[in-house]
């Protein structure tokens, strides 16, 4: 891919990001940060290439360390987001038990 | 190793259909590029899902699917000789991440997010270095076996942004975790130092296109580590929500820059999304504090020391002290109570007893609503998570602009652990450091209860609050959790 093709994707993705993020409800801004953290660790792709390809043992080790760091983020980020989102509940207590008092 | 043998079969299949493997990195297999694009679209859906709590978990699943697609695509299109080591690395990192995610207290989310940002930054630096050391693997070789000049610029910038994200996030983490004072540390001439360092990084990146020596990459990395450190130390505790959002943005730009280097659409799309997300959150936070983004970056606002300056609470003004019984009585008689929680509630861990209080009030037929300021807590949306954790339904929690008109029809405003966000000086006193900040109009409520530990301390901004001295205000001076427990006792009787 040439530079302009990549730049086009980047610029358009910035606009998509702008509109999608404005539509996120403020109540979910903390999960938003946690999940963006997880997905920005897609940088693991670079670390995987470095670790998989022959040619430079140093690059391979850097790649492996990068994989460890990015994996902490990916698993930690998605898991903590899931944990937070599971806590958001709608009102569902129509009949309090102590109504008799 | 049935998995690896299966994957090698897949790779062989791909090899038969497509060009030989050594050319794969250069002329990207269209199906591979397509898979990365699908991963990028999944990430868009992940954020899109967060527009409402009911769709949010589905969004998160999309994120996981996208990540799986990206990782598997990368693995099956590259040499599988190191697969065992790679899997060990993923298991180690994933295990650590999973345990942390399980154990972390929700009050500690801001520092966790800062720590995660630092990892993205460091990973970007490592990938950048690896790409420098083994450019052939990344398909960025130009003529004559040298790295192509465009790739060198992308690499230099990617490493620099990654390193800034790393060291800046470490400082933010230390400040948020209380391992370092939240007070701003002001170096003399820091703006000159910062701009000089930034200019040096850009200059070296430009020179890197001419000279591919290792020392240039090393110096860029070190300078970027230093500037990340220098950028965050002068920023005070009150501005931390902006800093966390800003570093979120940087981690996105770091991923995007690496995506440019590696010609990877998944990384570019994700980087742009995350970069935009952090930038928008920074903007929202700045606006909620009526602070310019540049003045936040310049730092020096909101020392944790508090009480200093000309605005220490003037306790000679008359104020009324209330008791738990007063609060319980007034609230049980009310039609509507609005609770305004702040970070003090989180520090006192009072969210659970507070939810019990709302349950008791609801049994008595009182309408209870929560009102959340955008900068309540230490990061965007922090207070909402804490209330959700305490089982407060999200449809009883309202944003500033949605509820501010209701105070005139509200019998009791109950302020717990918040201060600056209810200070009317933000509307009336042009000399106040918080002038212009949108605040809750609690002065319009018939009765105000203000939980505070003592009359001495003031909010982050270090300014006195007229709400303390209003006729309809009763100060409840105690630890937030103990006070609410006492109110609950009085309500239950």
């Amino acid at each position: 891919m040439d530079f302009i093709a990549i730049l086009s994707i980047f610029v358009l993705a910035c606009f998509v990001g702008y509109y999608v993020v404005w539509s996120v409800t403020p109540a979910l801004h903390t999960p938003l940060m946690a999940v963006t953290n997880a997905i920005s660790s897609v940088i693991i792709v670079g670390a995987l290439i470095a670790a998989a390809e022959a040619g430079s043992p140093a690059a391979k080790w850097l790649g492996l360390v990068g994989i460890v760091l990015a994996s902490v983020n990916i698993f930690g980020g998605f898991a903590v987001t899931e944990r937070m989102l599971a806590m958001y509940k709608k009102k569902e207590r129509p009949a309090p038990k102590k109504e008799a008092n | 190793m049935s998995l690896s043998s299966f994957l090698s079969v897949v790779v062989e299949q791909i090899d038969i259909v497509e060009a030989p493997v050594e050319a794969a990195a250069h002329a990207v297999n269209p199906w591979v590029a397509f898979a990365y694009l699908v991963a990028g679209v999944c990430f868009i859906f992940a954020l899109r899902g967060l527009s409402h709590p009911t769709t949010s978990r589905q969004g998160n699943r999309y994120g996981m699917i996208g990540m799986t697609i990206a990782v598997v695509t990368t693995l099956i299109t590259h040499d599988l000789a190191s697969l065992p080591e790679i899997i060990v690395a993923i298991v180690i990192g994933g295990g650590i991440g999973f345990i942390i995610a399980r154990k972390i207290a929700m009050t500690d989310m801001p520092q966790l997010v800062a720590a995660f940002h630092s990892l993205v930054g460091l990973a970007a630096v490592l990938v950048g270095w690896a790409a420098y050391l083994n450019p052939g693997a990344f398909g960025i070789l130009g003529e004559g076996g040298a790295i192509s000049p465009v790739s060198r610029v992308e690499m230099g910038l990617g490493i620099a942004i990654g390193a800034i994200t790393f060291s800046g996030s470490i400082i933010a983490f230390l400040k948020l975790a209380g391992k370092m004072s939240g007070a701003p540390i002001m170096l003399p001439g820091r703006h000159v130092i910062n701009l000089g360092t930034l200019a040096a990084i850009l200059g070296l990146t430009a020179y890197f296109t001419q000279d591919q020596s290792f020392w240039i990459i090393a110096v860029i990395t070190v300078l970027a580590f230093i500037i990340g450190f220098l950028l965050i130390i002068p920023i005070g505790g009150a501005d931390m929500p902006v800093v966390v959002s800003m570093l979120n943005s940087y981690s996105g730009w770091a991923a995007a820059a690496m995506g440019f280097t590696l010609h990877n659409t998944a990384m570019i799309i994700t980087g742009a999304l995350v970069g935009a997300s952090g930038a928008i959150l920074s903007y929202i936070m700045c606006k909620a504090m009526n602070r310019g983004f540049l003045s936040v970056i310049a730092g020096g606002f909101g020392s944790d020391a508090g009480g200093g300056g000309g605005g220490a609470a003037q306790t000679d003004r008359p104020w009324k002290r209330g008791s738990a019984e007063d609060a319980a009585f007034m609230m049980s008689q009310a039609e509507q109570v609005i609770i305004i929680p702040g970070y003090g509630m989180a520090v006192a861990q009072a969210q659970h007893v507070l939810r019990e209080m709302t349950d008791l009030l609801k049994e008595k037929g009182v309408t209870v609503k929560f009102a959340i300021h955008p900068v309540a807590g230490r990061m965007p949306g922090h207070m909402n998570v804490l209330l959700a954790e305490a089982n407060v339904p999200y449809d009883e929690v309202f944003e500033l602009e949605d509820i501010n008109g209701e105070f005139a029809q509200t019998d009791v405003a109950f302020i717990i652990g918040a201060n600056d966000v209810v200070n009317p000086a933000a509307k009336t006193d042009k000399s106040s450091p918080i002038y212009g900040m949108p605040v809750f109009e609690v002065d319009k409520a018939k009765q105000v209860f203000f939980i505070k530990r003592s009359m001495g301390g003031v909010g982050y901004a270090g300014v006195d609050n007229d709400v303390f001295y209003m006729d309809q205000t009763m100060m409840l001076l105690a630890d937030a959790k103990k006070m609410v427990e006492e109110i609950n006792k009085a309500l239950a009787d």
Side-chain angles (χ1 to χ4, degrees):
Chain A
M1 264 188 291
D2 61 349
F3 180 73
I4 290 298
I6 297 174
L7 188 66
S8 311
I9 295 171
F10 176 70
V11 172
L12 292 176
C14 285
F15 279 96
V16 171
Y18 179 84
Y19 289 106
V20 169
V21 173
W22 271 117
S23 78
V24 172
T25 169
L28 294 177
H29 276 163
T30 296
L32 170 70
M33 293 193 104
V35 82
T36 51
N37 228 314
I39 65 174
S40 59
S41 300
V42 72
I43 204 157
I44 195 173
V45 166
L48 288 170
I49 296 173
E53 290 284 325
S56 162
K60 182 180 168 171
W61 280 106
L62 290 174
L64 286 173
V65 176
I67 292 172
V68 173
L69 298 178
S71 300
V72 172
N73 242 335
I74 292 170
F75 285 79
F78 282 127
V80 85
T81 308
E82 192 71 22
R83 203 182 128 198
M84 277 191 277
L85 293 176
M87 298 187 309
Y88 282 82
K89 289 189 194 80
K90 227 176 143 71
K91 201 168 0 191
E92 51 175 350
R93 285 165 292 161
K97 282 167 206 154
K98 288 184 197 164
E99 200 94 32
N101 301 358
Chain B
M1 272 293 147
S2 64
L3 175 71
S4 78
S5 58
F6 165 73
L7 290 176
S8 17
V9 172
V10 174
V11 172
E12 277 164 32
Q13 296 294 326
I14 290 172
D15 286 351
I16 293 163
V17 193
E18 289 301 326
V21 77
E22 60 265 25
H26 303 272
V28 183
N29 179 333
W31 285 107
V32 173
F34 182 71
Y36 285 130
L37 182 64
V38 171
V41 171
C42 283
F43 294 145
I44 295 174
F45 280 128
L47 299 197
R48 180 70 197 147
L50 291 174
S51 58
H52 197 273
T54 48
T55 55
S56 58
R57 296 180 77 181
Q58 197 189 357
N60 200 32
R61 307 275 153 73
Y62 270 114
M64 295 180 199
I65 294 169
M67 190 60 75
T68 312
I69 292 174
V71 169
V72 170
T73 305
T74 312
L75 284 177
I76 62 174
T77 51
H78 288 85
D79 198 353
L80 289 170
S82 341
L83 195 64
E85 286 114 303
I86 290 174
I87 288 176
V88 169
I90 292 178
V91 168
I92 293 173
I96 296 171
F98 204 70
I99 292 168
I100 294 173
R102 274 291 152 97
K103 294 206 162 160
I104 191 86
M106 285 299 142
T107 32
D108 295 338
M109 275 310 291
Q111 48 266 45
L112 178 74
V113 166
F116 278 175
H117 287 156
S118 75
L119 297 183
V120 179
L122 191 56
V125 173
L126 295 177
V127 172
W129 279 44
Y132 173 84
L133 292 170
N134 193 5
F138 292 88
I140 52 174
L141 285 178
E143 293 137 40
I147 304 172
S148 71
V150 176
S151 297
R152 289 191 217 177
V153 173
E154 293 160 353
M155 193 186 285
L157 291 179
I159 289 175
I161 301 171
I164 291 172
T165 311
F166 172 69
S167 57
S169 298
I170 293 283
I171 301 297
F173 168 77
L174 292 174
K175 285 195 174 197
L176 286 164
K179 293 183 165 65
M180 182 177 160
S181 162
I185 299 166
M186 316 286 272
L187 291 179
R190 61 187 193 285
H191 296 312
V192 178
I193 299 174
N194 288 352
L195 289 175
T197 316
L198 198 62
I201 290 172
L202 292 176
L204 280 169
T205 306
Y207 180 64
F208 188 50
T209 59
Q210 305 302 316
D211 178 356
Q212 201 186 304
S213 310
F214 181 71
W215 71 266
I216 304 175
I217 282 288
V219 173
I220 288 176
T221 310
V222 171
L223 287 179
F225 278 144
I226 293 172
I227 200 172
F229 176 79
L230 291 175
L231 274 177
I232 308 301
I233 54 166
I235 302 182
D239 284 336
M240 273 303 146
V242 183
V243 170
V244 177
S245 315
M246 190 179 80
L247 291 166
N248 186 29
S249 188
Y250 286 0
S251 70
W253 304 130
M258 280 301 141
F260 272 95
T261 313
L262 273 53
H263 298 186
N264 185 299
T265 42
M267 272 189 194
I268 292 171
I269 294 175
T270 315
L273 291 177
V274 178
S277 167
I280 289 172
L281 291 175
S282 309
Y283 170 80
I284 294 173
M285 293 297 112
C286 283
K287 206 170 144 237
M289 295 192 290
N290 191 39
R291 308 254 292 120
F293 185 68
L294 284 178
S295 77
V296 171
I297 301 301
F301 183 76
S303 82
D304 259 351
Q314 299 151 358
T315 35
D316 51 332
R317 288 170 71 182
W319 52 278
K320 279 192 286 242
R321 181 167 191 158
S323 67
E325 287 74 25
D326 296 333
F329 177 75
M330 292 299 294
M331 285 195 285
S332 59
Q333 301 298 312
E335 248 173 68
Q336 172 156 297
V337 173
I338 297 181
I339 299 172
I340 300 157
Y343 189 66
M345 177 201 78
V347 173
Q349 288 288 336
Q351 58 268 40
H352 296 278
V353 288
L354 192 62
R355 205 258 310 149
E356 283 167 28
M357 186 182 95
T358 64
D359 288 349
L360 289 167
L361 287 172
K362 276 189 253 172
E363 281 172 31
K364 294 180 192 290
V366 183
T367 308
V368 185
K369 291 178 177 174
F370 284 85
I372 303 215
H373 196 276
V375 292
R378 288 283 174 91
M379 72 186 289
H382 192 193
M383 211 49 68
N384 301 77
V385 174
L386 294 173
L387 292 177
E389 189 193 17
N391 281 325
V392 173
Y394 60 80
D395 40 5
E396 288 173 12
V397 181
F398 296 86
E399 307 300 323
L400 172 69
E401 59 267 34
D402 296 334
I403 203 166
N404 224 359
E406 286 194 32
F407 280 101
Q409 294 93 49
T410 297
D411 304 292
V412 177
F414 188 85
I415 302 160
I416 173 166
N419 190 348
D420 292 334
V421 298
V422 297
N423 194 338
K427 286 184 295 182
T428 53
D429 180 6
K430 284 197 175 159
S431 65
S432 170
I434 59 169
Y435 181 72
M437 171 172 149
V439 289
F440 291 114
E441 296 171 340
V442 289
D443 46 328
K444 294 194 175 147
K446 293 192 189 81
Q447 174 77 46
V448 177
F449 287 100
F450 205 127
I451 299 191
K452 214 170 167 305
R453 249 171 310 191
S454 71
M455 285 305 282
V458 282
Y460 260 141
V463 283
D464 201 8
N465 192 340
D466 285 339
V467 171
F468 302 159
Y469 315 108
M470 295 190 311
D471 283 342
Q472 72 266 42
T473 304
M474 278 196 187
M475 301 301 295
L476 304 173
L477 299 185
D479 171 75
K481 190 176 176 187
K482 282 204 193 97
M483 178 53 76
V484 177
E485 279 169 351
E486 279 174 41
I487 294 174
N488 288 352
K489 229 179 281 168
L491 279 173
D493 287 341

